[in-house]
Amino acid sequence: DAGHSINQGFGWGHVAGVLVGDTFSDRACVRVVGLHQPPMSGIACSSHRGTKFASSIVLSGGYECDDDKGDTFEYTGEGGNDFLSTKLQT
């Protein structure tokens, strides 16, 4: 997407050139700029001193119960869609 740098790496904290509220056309774009590494998973996680943390969450409309209000959201998925047959949340 316009105005964003490519391959900044993945980690914690601010990503140069990305502002709160920026939107991206697809998941590949957030991966390219270094915001969210997993190509399918909605939650990217890292560990620090034995504790697991979510470093990013992608809302893609793939879970029918997700509720995105813009400044808050309820995320109901992570690995619960049947991609091979029904495409429905399981």
Side-chain angles (χ1 to χ4, degrees), residues 26-77:
D26 56 39
R27 190 176 294 224
C29 291
V30 295
R31 183 180 170 95
V32 167
V33 299
L35 284 174
H36 189 81
Q37 185 176 15
M40 292 283 292
S41 299
I43 301 175
C45 296
S46 299
S47 293
H48 180 69
R49 296 184 183 171
T51 302
K52 194 172 184 179
F53 295 92
S55 54
S56 62
I57 299 173
V58 171
L59 301 176
S60 63
Y63 292 99
E64 60 194 45
C65 295
D66 284 356
D67 186 14
D68 183 1
K69 297 185 183 334
D71 59 346
T72 63
F73 64 88
E74 183 176 342
Y75 183 83
T76 61

